Amino acid sequence: MKIDVNQLAEHFARIPFQVEGIYRYAKHPGVPDADYTDTVPGFVFPLTGKVQFQFDGTPYILTPGKVVHGGAKMKLAQKMFGNTNWEYILVLYRICNSELEESSLSHQHFELLTGQSPRLIELIKRLWHVYNQPGGISKFQTEMLFRDVLNEALLCVVNRQNSRESHTLFERVSNYIHEHYDQSLTIDSLAEHNNVNRNRLSYVFRRHAGMGPAEYVLKYRINLAQEMLFTSDAPVQQIAETVGIADPYYFSRVFKKQFGISPTQYREQFINNPCEVQQASILI
């Protein structure tokens, strides 16, 4: 089952809860044979390996990079995968308000795709260690640490979602640039066309291309012009206009900045040396 991470965060922000128990399981001595989950809900944090749980018939593969939530009193089935070693930590928690329990997520199963997070693993191991220490301080720290663990897990999910969304946006905008390079392209027009603000667009391009969108457009145009200079006899001014640069002097200036020589010199130097121009293209 999929769950909205913001809905989950809001849920734990308004529902009073406390840790009921923390357990660490591994291939040896093995998973306890159980037909149903506990009387309270819990989170499973895989540390190593691979094992499958089924909550009320819905399978979840437990591997590092995921966190799985199992509801209370659910029918449980387990499946091992050969001789693969595996280990996970189970955190059971209890809703402190009985009136809110039925409206909570206590009876739902779902998974969170956190990705590999060393900090999350460090926090969950520390939580297990603190829980097993005697005294009131450890109980207090357990409650605080469990909230830190949940917070880190939710942040990991959000960061992964943002990363996927930003990569999708970059691919969409860059493909648009590749198809419409000969038209007037500005940061504002690209942002408006893709329904994002210019700051977001600039961030995405710097993250995935190492440069802003304006520089990306210019470099793409210049690289196309470089190929045209070698493959066609068209005048330099015509090539500049073809790739979307109306000012031939500006075109010559930025071309020389990128390749070290003017468009005319480039054509004269490489027109009779296809091997050298091929090597130059590879280095761009």
Side-chain angles (χ1 to χ4, degrees):
M1 171 183 172
K2 292 183 179 180
I3 189 166
D4 182 84
V5 67
N6 290 303
Q7 176 189 348
L8 184 60
E10 182 179 351
H11 167 76
F12 281 108
R14 65 181 178 83
I15 297 291
F17 61 94
Q18 66 181 35
V19 174
E20 183 73 10
I22 302 176
Y23 309 94
R24 189 167 182 168
Y25 296 112
K27 183 176 180 180
H28 299 290
V31 179
D33 294 326
D35 295 326
Y36 288 86
T37 60
D38 211 304
T39 56
V40 294
F43 284 94
V44 181
F45 297 88
L47 299 179
T48 59
K50 179 180 179 182
V51 63
Q52 177 182 283
F53 278 10
Q54 284 190 15
F55 298 103
D56 285 344
T58 301
Y60 293 93
I61 303 296
L62 275 62
T63 57
K66 296 180 181 179
V67 176
V68 176
H69 180 273
K73 302 177 182 178
M74 287 185 170
K75 188 173 182 180
L76 179 66
Q78 302 154 17
K79 177 183 177 181
M80 309 305 161
F81 294 91
N83 294 320
T84 304
N85 294 323
W86 50 263
E87 184 180 9
Y88 67 86
I89 290 178
L90 169 65
V91 180
L92 300 175
Y93 68 95
R94 181 183 300 277
I95 304 300
C96 301
N97 189 324
S98 59
E99 295 180 359
L100 297 175
E101 187 173 0
E102 290 303 317
S103 62
S104 72
L105 298 176
S106 298
H107 305 288
Q108 295 188 27
H109 52 77
F110 55 84
E111 80 176 358
L112 301 173
L113 302 179
T114 60
Q116 298 280 5
S117 170
R119 173 167 167 75
L120 180 58
I121 295 298
E122 177 186 352
L123 283 172
I124 190 63
K125 288 183 177 180
R126 184 180 172 195
L127 174 63
W128 176 77
H129 176 75
V130 169
Y131 173 78
N132 286 282
Q133 300 302 308
I137 295 295
S138 66
K139 292 181 180 179
F140 176 77
Q141 290 180 332
T142 294
E143 297 298 333
M144 298 294 291
L145 274 172
F146 181 45
R147 284 154 178 79
D148 287 342
V149 168
L150 289 180
N151 178 64
E152 183 66 22
L154 295 176
L155 288 176
C156 287
V157 174
V158 170
N159 289 338
R160 277 175 56 86
Q161 291 176 347
N162 289 339
S163 179
R164 288 197 302 269
E165 290 171 2
S166 70
H167 187 264
T168 299
L169 175 61
F170 171 74
E171 286 192 332
R172 186 168 69 245
V173 179
S174 60
N175 286 337
Y176 181 83
I177 292 170
H178 299 168
E179 295 174 3
H180 301 87
Y181 60 87
D182 57 336
Q183 302 176 13
S184 176
L185 299 176
T186 65
I187 298 179
D188 288 334
S189 67
L190 290 171
E192 182 179 358
H193 184 268
N194 289 275
N195 198 29
V196 295
N197 63 56
R198 58 179 294 148
N199 290 335
R200 171 65 173 168
L201 187 64
S202 295
Y203 165 79
V204 166
F205 266 77
R206 293 194 181 282
R207 178 173 182 177
H208 295 285
M211 64 187 75
E215 185 180 359
Y216 184 92
V217 170
L218 182 58
K219 281 188 175 294
Y220 186 76
R221 286 169 168 168
I222 294 300
N223 285 338
L224 284 178
Q226 175 259 345
E227 183 178 350
M228 292 180 187
L229 284 167
F230 176 69
T231 58
S232 77
D233 296 326
V236 171
Q237 181 174 350
Q238 181 180 336
I239 290 176
E241 293 175 352
T242 300
V243 298
I245 302 177
D247 186 344
Y249 298 103
Y250 174 70
F251 169 74
S252 294
R253 187 167 67 252
V254 294
F255 187 95
K256 186 174 183 179
K257 182 179 180 180
Q258 180 163 329
F259 291 99
I261 56 178
S262 70
T264 301
Q265 290 172 324
Y266 179 89
R267 172 175 275 170
E268 292 174 352
Q269 179 173 343
F270 291 114
I271 193 64
N272 295 318
N273 194 342
C275 294
E276 190 170 355
V277 74
Q278 182 179 10
Q279 182 179 9
S281 299
I282 294 174
L283 297 176
I284 294 173

